[in-house]
C-alpha cells in the first residue's frame, strides 16, 4: 500500500562520480545513469552492494547530464553537445549526433518513444527522430542573454503523459508551454524569483528553473528551482516550487521551503493527482512530498546526497535517486 | 657569540644600552626641565651646534595648546598670552592647560592611538576608561597592570583588558605588541629568523615572551582567561625542537612551581577550558594558581628589570613632544641603537620611576624646557642638524583629531569661542568640539613615521562641500561672519591671521592679500576665498 | 643576510651613519631617491623617459577565479568539470574554452600555472598577493599599485598615479600604500566612477578657485621656506597636483570615447572599467587596478564561471586589442591575479572552494614573452609539480617586466626593506 507518509530511505550505493540523470528499465530496478566521468552506467538498485557497470564505446567527451530510454535503447545528452545512442543489453555505444552548440541540459522522449526533445544552453529546443537521430524541428523561444547581458541557460523540458504538451524553462524563470504535435507555443509563464541577480555585492547570478512536471491530467504544471539567495556564493536559498494552472495562467502554489535549501532538480506527480515528489539539494540533499491540492508538505527527508534526478517505479513503491557520488533508494510502502 | 650579538643586537641577552651610573647623573632633585636642558645643551656644545632661536610667544602658545589641549588656541587666548608681561606666563599656561578638560581628551586620545593603533577599535567604554585615567593622572605602571591583568567582573578593569582582548586571538600580536608598546622592543623579526647564524637564544627570547601569553585565551563570552598549562615549543633554524622558558627581554627567566596534579584534576581543568571556549553561559573562568601573564607584569616592573618599561615610556612621551625619540625608532630600544642622550634618558627613567610613573609630571617638565621651545625654522647657512640633536623643532603633522579640532576652532567666531572657553561649562563645550572634529578627522590619515600627505586630502580641502559648509559658512558663529563685522580690510586681514594662524600677518602677506582684494569687486566671497587660502595652507596643518 | 636587520653595523645601519647622512633631512629617506623619473624635471631627459613610460593594468579577479576554468584546464579528469580545453593561437598553449576570445590572441600573454601561496582565506590571501609578502608585525607593506606608482610615476604628475576600481561590495579592498604613505595611496573608485572631490563646487568660479590656490601657495611658500621635511614637502606637492587632477576628470568619462570604441567594449561594467583604465594609462597613469568581484563560487562553479569568464574573456581581449592598436601594449603590462584559485575537488553544490596550493595567473604585454606558459600542476591540478611560484616571485617578475630594479630596497627609518621579499626571484621564462 503506497503512502507518502511512509517515505523512508532503504539503501544507498556509493559512487565515485556524480550522477546527473537517470532512467529506469520499465518494471525493474535497473537504472541507467549519466555521469560526471563522461560515461553512462547501469546499476541494479535492488541488489545490495551492486556495482555500477560502465557502458563501452566512443560515447561522450564531457559530463553526461541527461539520459532517457526508448525501448531497450538509451539516449544520452551531454555538455559536449552530442546526443548518443546506447544498446542497453550489450551496454555498448551505438552512435551519436552533434545536436547543440552548447551544454545539453535535458532530454525527454515522447510516450510513444518516437521523438526526442533536447534543450541546451544554445537556448534552442530541438526535436529528433528517436530511432534515426534525424532532426525534426528546432524551436526558438528562450533569450540567449539574461537581462544583465550574460549568457542564459536552458535547463528544463517536460512532456505531458498523453504526449500532447511540452514545457520548457530557462535560467531567468521564463516558461513556455507548447503544443507538441504542432510545435507551437500555446502559453507563457514567468517565475522570476527562481533567478537571483546580485547587482551590488557579487555582481553575477545564480538559480534558474531546473525542473518541470505536468500533472497526469496535464492541468497543472510545476516548476522547480531555488528562491532568492542572499549570498550567491552558495546555494543558500529555499528550495522552491511554483505550481501553475497553466491554462488560466495562474499560479496556484508557491512553495518556498526553508527547511531544505537548494535546487529542486526533479518533480514527479502521482497518477492520482493528489501529491507530487520533488528532490534536489545544496551541499546535502532532500526529498519532499507535497500535497498537490494545498501545496503543503506531506513528508520530507534529508537525502544522503544532493539529488540530481530520480525515477519512480510503476507501482510507486520505490523511488530511485541519483546524485553526488551516490544512488539512494526510498520506499513509499512498508519495507 | 660576540658576532651574533652585533648582528642580532636587538635581543642580545643582557645587552641593554650602557646605563649611566646613578652617581654620574644630575641630582634627582633637579627640576625636569633643567635636567633636560643641561643634557641637551651639553650635547650641543660637544657637537658645536648653534641651535635654532627660541620661538615667539605666539608660536609657543600655539605649540603648547596643540600639544597639551589637542587644538589651536583661540584668537583672544593667543593675544592675551602674547600681551602678558608676567614672568611666569609660560609656566602658568602649561599648568592651566594641564588642568583643563582639553588635556584629558588629548592625552587620552594619544594613549588610545599608542595602545590600540590602526584598525583596533576599543569603543566608547575604552575611551571613557582612558579619559578617566587621564583625568586622575593614573600612574603608568598602574595602567599597565590594569591593561594586562584586569579582572573581567569589574567594569572598568574589564575595559582595561581591551588591550589584551582585541589581540586575544593572536599570540604573535599579543607578544609583539606588548613588547613594542610597553618595552620599546620589536621582537617580531626574532620569531622566524632564517639566517644560518641565528642563535637559539634569539628565538628563545621571542618564544620566551610568547610563553607569558601562550595560556591566554578568549572565552566564548569574549572574556580574557588563562589556561592551567601549556608551554611554547618551537623549532630552531637547525630544526631542533625546543621548549621555551618563561623568559623576559632581559634574559631573566622564571620557573613554574611544580604542582602534582592527578589525571582527574588535569582532565577537569581541560574540561573547564573547553567549556569556557564553547559555552557562552559558562560561569566566570577561574584563575589558575600560576598565571604567566601576572608573572610577566611582576617581572617587568621589578627593580632592576624595569629598565625596558621605564625607558620605553619616557622615550615615547619625549618623542610625542619633541617629534623624535631619544631612542629612535621608538621600538628599537637595544644596545646597537643607543640613545642620542643616554644620560638624559637614564635621568628621566630614574625620575619617572621615583615619582610613581607620573606622566603628567614628565610632560610638564618637557614642555617647560628650553629644548622644547626651539624654533622649527632653520635659517643658518650650515646644514640643518639631524633631529636627534633637538636643535631645531620638528615640524609635526597634526593628528586627524588635532586637525579637525583646529579647523573648527580657527574658523569659529573668535568672540564666541572665547566666551565658551571662559564659561564654567567649558568641559561640555569641549566634548561637543571633540565630536564636531570627527567630521573632518574621520577623513584624514593618522600620521605615522615618514608620513606623506596624499592628494586625496588636498582634493578634499579644495573641493568638498563640507569644508565650505562647516568652516567657511557665512554665519554669525563663524569666522567669516565675524570678519564681516570688522571695518577696514586691514582689521579683517589681521583677524583672519590671528584666528587661523595664531599670529599677525607679515607685511608681504598683508600686501599680497590687499592686492588680491584690490583686483576684485567688493564681495563677501572674497573673504571666503581668503579664509580658504589660510585654512588650506600648511601652517594650519602642522604643529611647528 | 639582508633580512637580519636588527640594528647591527654589519648591515650598514649603524645609527650614527644612518641618521647622520641619509636621514639628515629629517624623514627624507623615502623621498631621497624619488626614482629616476624625477629626472623628468630635467627637460633633456624628460622626452626619453616619457617615451618609455611604463604602465600596469591589474585585473583583480576578487574572490578567487578558478584556474581550471581559465588558465589551467584539466578536462577528462575527475576534477576537470565539464568544460573542454582549446588550443590557442600560441602553439602548445591550451586554455579553457571559457576564454574563446583570449585563445585567439595569446601571442602577448604568458601564463603562470604554478602558484603555491598557501594562504586560503580571502583577507589573508588578498593581503599576500597585493603586497607580495606575508603580513609582518609592525610594518605596513605597500601594495603592488603603490610600489608601481612610486617607481613608475612622476613626482609632479598631473594625472592620478594609482587608481583602484572596486564596485561590488563583497570583499571590497581599497589597496594600501603602507609605509610609502598616502602620496602613493590609490584614488579609490567604488560606487561612482567619478573620483571624490575632483569636481569644482558650483558655488565657486574657476577663476576664484585658481586665484585662491595662488594665494594659498604664497602662504605655503613662506611657511616651507625654512622648514624642510618630506612630510611638509608632501603637503606642497599634494596641493600642486589638485588643479591637474581636476583637469583629468574627463579621463574617467567613457562618454568621451567614440561610439565605435564604446561598442567594442560593450555594455558590461567590467569592460567599461577596463576602458577607463585604458584612458588613464594612455594619459600617463602608471597603475590602474580594475577589480571584478566576486568569483567565490562555492556553489554552482560552472554556472558562475560561464558568466564571469564571459566578462573576463571579453574585457581582457578587448583591452589587449585596444592597447595593441594604440601602440600601448608594448609599455603596458596587463595582469590577471586574485587572492587564490579554487579547489580541483568539486563539492556537492557543484562548487569549488578556496585553494591556494596550485593556481594560475597571467601576464600580458610590456616585458613579457607572450605565447608561453610556466610551471605545471599534476594531472588533477592538486599540486604544483614544476616551477613552484610564490607571491614574491610574482612581484619580482612583474618588476623585471617593467624595468624596475627588483633588488632595490626601501628604508623605513634604519631598516632596509627589499621591494621583493627574501628568497624570491623573477621567472625568466616569461620575460621578454
Amino acid at each position: 500500500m503506497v503512502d507518502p507518509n511512509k517515505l523512508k530511505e532503504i539503501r544507498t550505493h556509493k559512487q565515485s562520480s556524480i550522477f546527473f540523470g537517470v532512467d529506469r528499465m520499465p518494471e525493474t530496478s535497473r537504472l541507467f545513469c549519466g555521469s560526471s566521468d563522461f560515461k553512462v552506467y547501469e546499476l541494479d538498485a535492488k541488489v545490495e552492494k551492486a556495482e555500477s557497470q560502465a557502458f563501452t564505446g566512443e560515447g561522450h567527451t564531457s559530463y553526461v547530464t541527461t539520459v532517457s530510454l526508448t525501448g531497450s535503447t538509451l539516449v544520452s545528452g551531454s555538455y559536449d553537445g552530442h546526443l548518443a545512442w546506447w544498446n542497453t543489453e550489450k551496454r555498448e555505444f551505438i552512435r551519436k549526433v552533434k545536436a547543440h552548440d552548447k551544454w545539453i541540459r535535458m532530454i525527454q522522449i515522447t510516450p510513444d518513444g518516437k521523438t526526442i526533445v533536447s534543450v541546451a544552453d544554445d537556448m534552442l529546443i530541438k526535436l529528433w527522430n528517436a530511432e534515426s537521430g534525424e532532426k525534426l524541428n528546432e524551436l526558438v523561444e528562450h533569450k540567449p542573454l539574461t537581462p544583465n547581458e550574460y549568457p542564459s541557460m536552458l535547463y528544463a523540458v517536460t512532456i505531458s503523459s498523453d504526449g500532447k504538451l511540452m514545457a520548457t524553462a530557462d535560467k531567468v524563470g521564463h516558461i513556455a508551454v507548447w503544443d507538441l504535435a504542432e510545435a507551437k507555443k500555446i502559453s507563457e509563464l514567468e517565475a522570476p524569483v527562481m533567478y537571483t541577480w546580485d547587482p551590488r555585492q557579487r555582481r553575477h547570478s545564480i538559480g534558474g528553473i531546473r525542473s518541470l512536471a505536468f500533472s497526469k491530467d496535464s492541468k497543472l504544471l510545476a516548476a522547480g528551482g531555488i528562491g532568492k539567495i542572499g549570498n550567491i556564493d552558495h546555494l543558500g536559498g529555499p528550495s522552491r516550487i511554483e505550481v501553475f494552472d497553466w491554462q488560466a495562467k495562474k499560479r496556484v502554489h508557491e512553495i518556498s521551503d526553508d527547511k531544505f535549501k537548494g535546487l529542486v532538480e526533479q518533480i514527479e506527480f502521482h497518477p492520482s493527482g493528489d501529491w507530487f515528489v520533488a528532490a534536489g539539494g545544496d551541499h546535502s540533499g532532500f526529498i519532499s512530498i507535497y500535497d498537490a491540492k494545498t501545496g503543503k508538505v506531506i513528508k520530507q527527508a534529508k537525502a544522503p546526497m544532493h539529488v540530481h534526478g530520480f525515477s519512480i517505479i510503476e507501482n510507486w513503491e520505490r523511488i530511485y535517486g541519483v546524485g553526488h557520488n551516490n544512488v539512494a533508494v526510498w520506499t513509499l510502502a512498508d519495507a | 657569540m660576540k658576532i651574533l650579538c652585533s648582528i642580532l643586537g636587538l635581543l642580545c641577552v643582557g645587552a641593554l644600552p650602557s646605563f649611566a651610573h646613578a652617581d654620574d647623573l644630575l641630582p634627582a632633585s633637579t627640576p625636569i626641565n633643567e635636567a633636560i636642558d643641561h643634557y641637551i645643551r651639553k650635547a650641543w656644545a660637544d657637537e658645536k651646534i648653534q641651535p635654532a632661536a627660541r620661538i615667539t610667544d605666539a608660536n609657543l602658545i600655539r605649540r603648547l595648546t596643540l600639544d597639551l589641549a589637542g587644538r589651536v588656541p583661540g584668537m583672544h587666548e593667543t593675544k592675551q598670552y602674547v600681551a602678558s608681561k608676567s614672568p611666569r606666563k609660560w609656566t602658568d599656561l602649561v599648568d592651566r592647560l594641564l588642568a583643563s578638560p582639553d588635556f584629558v581628551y588629548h592625552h587620552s586620545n594619544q594613549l588610545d592611538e599608542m595602545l590600540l593603533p590602526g584598525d583596533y577599535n576599543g569603543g566608547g567604554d575604552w575611551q571613557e576608561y582612558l579619559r578617566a585615567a587621564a583625568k586622575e593622572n593614573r600612574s603608568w605602571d598602574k595602567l599597565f597592570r590594569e591593561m594586562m591583568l584586569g579582572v573581567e567582573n569589574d567594569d572598568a578593569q574589564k575595559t582595561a583588558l581591551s588591550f589584551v582582548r582585541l589581540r586575544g586571538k593572536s599570540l604573535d600580536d599579543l607578544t609583539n605588541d606588548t613588547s613594542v608598546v610597553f618595552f620599546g622592543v620589536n621582537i617580531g623579526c626574532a620569531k622566524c629568523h632564517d639566517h644560518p647564524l641565528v642563535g637559539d637564544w634569539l628565538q628563545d627570547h621571542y618564544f620566551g615572551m610568547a610563553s607569558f601569553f601562550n595560556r591566554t585565551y578568549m572565552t566564548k563570552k569574549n572574556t580574557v582567561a588563562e589556561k592551567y598549562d601549556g608551554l611554547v615549543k618551537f623549532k630552531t633554524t637547525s630544526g631542533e625542537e625546543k621548549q621555551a622558558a618563561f623568559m623576559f627581554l632581559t634574559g631573566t627567566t622564571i620557573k613554574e612551581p611544580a604542582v602534582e596534579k592527578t589525571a582527574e584534576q588535569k582532565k577537569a581543568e581541560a574540561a573547564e577550558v573547553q567549556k569556557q571556549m564553547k559555552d557562552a553561559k559558562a560561569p566566570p573562568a577561574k584563575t589558575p594558581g600560576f598565571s604567566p601573564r601576572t608573572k610577566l607584569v611582576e617581572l617587568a616592573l621589578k627593580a632592576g628589570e624595569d629598565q625596558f618599561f621605564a625607558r620605553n615610556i619616557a622615550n615615547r612621551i619625549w618623542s610625542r613632544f619633541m617629534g623624535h625619540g631619544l631612542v629612535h625608532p621608538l621600538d628599537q630600544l637595544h644596545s646597537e641603537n643607543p640613545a642620542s642622550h643616554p644620560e638624559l634618558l637614564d635621568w628621566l627613567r630614574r625620575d619617572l620611576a621615583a615619582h610613581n610613573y607620573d606622566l603628567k609630571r614628565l610632560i610638564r617638565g618637557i614642555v617647560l624646557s628650553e629644548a622644547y621651545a626651539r624654533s622649527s625654522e632653520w635659517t643658518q647657512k650650515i646644514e640643518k642638524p639631524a633631529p636627534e640633536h633637538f636643535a631645531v623643532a620638528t615640524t609635526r603633522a597634526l593628528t586627524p583629531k588635532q586637525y579637525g579640532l583646529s579647523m573648527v576652532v580657527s574658523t569659529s567666531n573668535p568672540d564666541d569661542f572665547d566666551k565658551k572657553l571662559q564659561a564654567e561649562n567649558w568641559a561640555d563645550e569641549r566634548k561637543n568640539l571633540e565630536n564636531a572634529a570627527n567630521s573632518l578627522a574621520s577623513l584624514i590619515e593618522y600620521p605615522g613615521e615618514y608620513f606623506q600627505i596624499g592628494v586625496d586630502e588636498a582634493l578634499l580641502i579644495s573641493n568638498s562641500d563640507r569644508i565650505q559648509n562647516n568652516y567657511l559658512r557665512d554665519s554669525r558663529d563663524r569666522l567669516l561672519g565675524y570678519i564681516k563685522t570688522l571695518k577696514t580690510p586691514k582689521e579683517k586681514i589681521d583677524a583672519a591671521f590671528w584666528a587661523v594662524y595664531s599670529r599677525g600677518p607679515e607685511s608681504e602677506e598683508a600686501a599680497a592679500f590687499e592686492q588680491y582684494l584690490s583686483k576684485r569687486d567688493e564681495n563677501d566671497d572674497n573673504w571666503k576665498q581668503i579664509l580658504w587660502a589660510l585654512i588650506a595652507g600648511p601652517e594650519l596643518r602642522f604643529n611647528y | 643576510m639582508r633580512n637580519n636587520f636588527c640594528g647591527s653595523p654589519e648591515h650598514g645601519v649603524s645609527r650614527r651613519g644612518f641618521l647622520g647622512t641619509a636621514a639628515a633631512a629629517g624623514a627624507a629617506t623615502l623621498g631621497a631617491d624619488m626614482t629616476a623619473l624625477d629626472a623628468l624635471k630635467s627637460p633633456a631627459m624628460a622626452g626619453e623617459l616619457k617615451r618609455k613610460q611604463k604602465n600596469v593594468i591589474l585585473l583583480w579577479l576578487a574572490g578567487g577565479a578558478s584556474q581550471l576554468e581559465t588558465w589551467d584546464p584539466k578536462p577528462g579528469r575527475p576534477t576537470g568539470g565539464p568544460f573542454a580545453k582549446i588550443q590557442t593561437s600560441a602553439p602548445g598553449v591550451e586554455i579553457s574554452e571559457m576564454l574563446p576570445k583570449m585563445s585567439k590572441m595569446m601571442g602577448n600573454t604568458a601564463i603562470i600555472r604554478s602558484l603555491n601561496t598557501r594562504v586560503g582565506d580571502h583577507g589573508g590571501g588578498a593581503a599576500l598577493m597585493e603586497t607580495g609578502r606575508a603580513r609582518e608585525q609592525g610594518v605596513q607593506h605597500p601594495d603592488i599599485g603603490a610600489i608601481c606608482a612610486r617607481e613608475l610615476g612622476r613626482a609632479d604628475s598631473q594625472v592620478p598615479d594609482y587608481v583602484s576600481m572596486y564596485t561590488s561590495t563583497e570583499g571590497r579592498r581599497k589597496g594600501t600604500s603602507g609605509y610609502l604613505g598616502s602620496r602613493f595611496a590609490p584614488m579609490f573608485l567604488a560606487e561612482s566612477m567619478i573620483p571624490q572631490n575632483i569636481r569644482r563646487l558650483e558655488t565657486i568660479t574657476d577663476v576664484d578657485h585658481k586665484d585662491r590656490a595662488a594665494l594659498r601657495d604664497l602662504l605655503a611658500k613662506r611657511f616651507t621656506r625654512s622648514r624642510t621635511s618630506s612630510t611638509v614637502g608632501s603637503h606642497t606637492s599634494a596641493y600642486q597636483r589638485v588643479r591637474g587632477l581636476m583637469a583629468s576628470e574627463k579621463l574617467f568619462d567613457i562618454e568621451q570615447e567614440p561610439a565605435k570604441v564604446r561598442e567594442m567594449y560593450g555594455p558590461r561594467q567590467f569592460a567599461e572599467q577596463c576602458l577607463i583604465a585604458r584612458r588613464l594609462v594612455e594619459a600617463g597613469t602608471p597603475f590602474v587596478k580594475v577589480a571584478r568581484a566576486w568569483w567565490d563560487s562555492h556553489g554552482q562553479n560552472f554556472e558562475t564561471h560561464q558568466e564571469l569568464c564571459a566578462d573576463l574573456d571579453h574585457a581582457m581581449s578587448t583591452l589587449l586589442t585596444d592597447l595593441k592598436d594604440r601602440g600601448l601594449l608594448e609599455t603596458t603590462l596587463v595582469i590577471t591575479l586574485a587572492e587564490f584559485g579554487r579547489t580541483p575537488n568539486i563539492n556537492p553544490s557543484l562548487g569549488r572552494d578556496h585553494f591556494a596550493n596550485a593556481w594560475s595567473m597571467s601576464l600580458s604585454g610590456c616585458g613579457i614573452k607572450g605565447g608561453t606558459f610556466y610551471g605545471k600542476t599534476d594531472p588533477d591540478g592538486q599540486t604544483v609539480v614544476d616551477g613552484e611560484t610564490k607571491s614574491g616571485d610574482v612581484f619580482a617578475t612583474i618588476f623585471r617586466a617593467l624595468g624596475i630594479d627588483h633588488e632595490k630596497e626601501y628604508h623605513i627609518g634604519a631598516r632596509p626593506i627589499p621591494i621583493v621579499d627574501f628568497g624570491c626571484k623573477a621567472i625568466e621564462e616569461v620575460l621578454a
Side-chain angles (χ1 to χ4, degrees), chain C residues 339-354:
Chain C
E339 60 263 55
F340 41 58
R342 306 215 72 82
T343 45
N345 291 346
I346 297 162
N347 71 34
S349 296
L350 297 181
R352 297 191 191 269
D353 302 312
H354 303 177

Side-chain angles (χ1 to χ4, degrees), chain C residues 66 74 102 116 156 175 198 203 219-220 246 348 358 361 388:
Chain C
S66 167
K74 302 286 182 187
M102 277 308 302
N116 180 2
D156 59 347
I198 204 170
T203 49
L219 293 165
M246 288 171 69
M361 64 173 292
E388 181 167 298

Side-chain angles (χ1 to χ4, degrees), chain B residues 260-489:
Chain B
E260 286 294 320
K261 283 181 195 167
T262 62
E264 268 107 64
Q265 273 175 306
K266 283 184 186 169
K267 212 173 148 188
E269 286 173 355
E272 201 224 316
V273 171
Q274 277 302 310
K275 189 175 168 65
Q276 290 295 340
M277 283 174 152
K278 288 193 176 140
D279 184 359
K281 287 180 187 138
K286 290 178 205 144
T287 311
F290 178 80
S291 154
R293 222 167 60 241
T294 309
K295 292 294 165 197
L296 172 66
V297 172
E298 287 171 3
L299 194 54
L301 294 176
K302 203 168 131 188
E305 301 286 334
D306 61 353
Q307 304 283 357
F308 282 105
F309 180 77
R311 275 188 167 67
N312 170 67
I313 191 62
N315 192 46
R316 284 182 179 276
I317 295 292
W318 173 272
S319 174
R320 192 206 286 179
F321 294 93
M322 304 300 288
H324 196 85
L326 289 165
V327 171
H328 204 90
L330 305 183
D331 63 353
Q332 300 292 320
L333 199 61
H334 57 80
S335 64
E336 290 296 337
N337 187 37
S340 55
H341 302 71
E343 292 169 317
L344 172 56
L345 182 56
D346 217 38
W347 192 94
L348 292 173
R349 170 202 64 77
R350 189 185 67 182
D351 184 75
L352 198 52
H355 290 90
N356 198 24
Y357 290 100
D358 178 347
L359 299 188
K360 206 167 182 173
R361 188 175 171 282
L362 172 63
I363 290 169
R364 184 176 184 277
I366 293 173
V367 301
L368 285 173
S369 71
E370 284 294 333
Y372 174 78
R374 291 306 97 198
S375 166
S376 59
E377 288 191 281
W378 186 252
T379 52
Q380 298 176 37
K381 292 254 164 18
I382 55 166
E383 202 185 340
K384 181 161 96 173
E388 57 180 341
H389 296 295
F390 307 102
V392 51
T394 313
T395 303
R396 292 172 277 151
L398 302 188
T399 65
K401 201 42 134 346
Q402 281 176 318
Y403 194 31
L405 284 163
S406 298
M407 195 69 94
V408 179
V409 170
S410 67
T411 59
S412 295
N413 180 321
D415 292 348
D416 282 9
F417 180 76
D418 197 48
K419 255 181 233 146
K420 285 181 190 168
L421 189 60
Q422 306 297 337
E424 273 190 20
N425 67 342
W426 168 241
D428 299 333
E429 292 291 351
R430 184 57 174 77
K431 188 178 177 184
N432 295 339
L433 270 186
E434 192 77 8
N435 296 332
N438 286 337
S439 153
L440 180 63
S442 62
L443 303 171
I444 301 289
E445 194 181 348
Y446 193 86
E449 200 161 8
Y450 311 108
F451 176 59
Q452 301 260 300
I453 289 161
V455 75
D456 280 2
E457 181 182 313
L459 285 168
L460 169 80
I461 303 290
S462 297
N463 295 331
S464 166
D465 55 359
R466 87 168 71 189
I467 301 297
Q468 297 293 321
N469 300 341
N470 290 359
Y471 310 118
L472 303 178
R473 201 168 59 233
D474 185 0
S475 62
R476 214 209 59 82
D477 61 327
R478 306 310 307 166
L479 179 59
L480 186 57
Y482 173 80
I483 281 177
K484 277 171 67 182
T485 66
L486 302 174
K487 292 200 179 71
T488 66

Side-chain angles (χ1 to χ4, degrees), chain A residues 88-218:
Chain A
T88 53
E89 296 316 312
K90 295 182 180 168
R91 291 205 282 266
E92 266 178 10
F93 172 75
I94 302 170
R95 67 165 187 285
K96 63 182 180 181
V97 299
K98 174 76 176 163
H100 289 271
D101 284 339
K102 287 189 173 178
W103 194 336
I104 299 176
R105 296 289 187 166
M106 200 181 283
I107 62 172
Q108 295 287 351
I109 298 185
T110 50
D112 60 13
K114 286 182 180 166
T115 307
I116 302 167
V117 182
S118 61
V119 292
D121 285 354
D122 57 10
M123 306 310 279
L124 297 173
I125 304 152
K126 295 189 181 181
L127 279 61
W128 309 85
N129 180 313
E131 203 176 332
S132 69
E134 179 198 357
K135 188 170 93 177
L136 305 173
N137 208 340
E138 179 175 310
L139 307 175
V140 181
E141 165 66 17
H142 297 272
K143 290 190 182 126
L145 293 179
T146 67
N148 304 295
E149 309 279 348
Y150 288 94
S152 188
M153 290 147 202
L154 184 50
Y155 289 110
V157 57
T158 190
I159 295 169
S160 62
S161 316
D162 58 12
K164 287 181 180 161
L165 298 169
M166 172 175 81
T168 54
D170 64 19
K171 176 158 187 165
V172 300
H174 177 68
I175 305 167
V177 183
W178 306 79
D179 178 319
L180 194 52
E182 299 282 325
K184 192 172 151 247
K185 182 173 77 179
I186 52 176
S187 188
E188 281 179 301
L189 302 161
E190 305 296 336
V193 178
M194 305 276 193
Y195 168 74
T196 300
W197 162 255
D198 175 351
R200 188 174 155 74
Q201 275 176 282
R202 294 172 174 83
R203 212 168 177 89
H204 65 90
S205 73
I206 198 165
I209 295 177
R210 306 301 181 102
S211 48
L212 286 168
F214 282 109
S215 58
K216 298 302 164 188
D217 62 6
S218 301

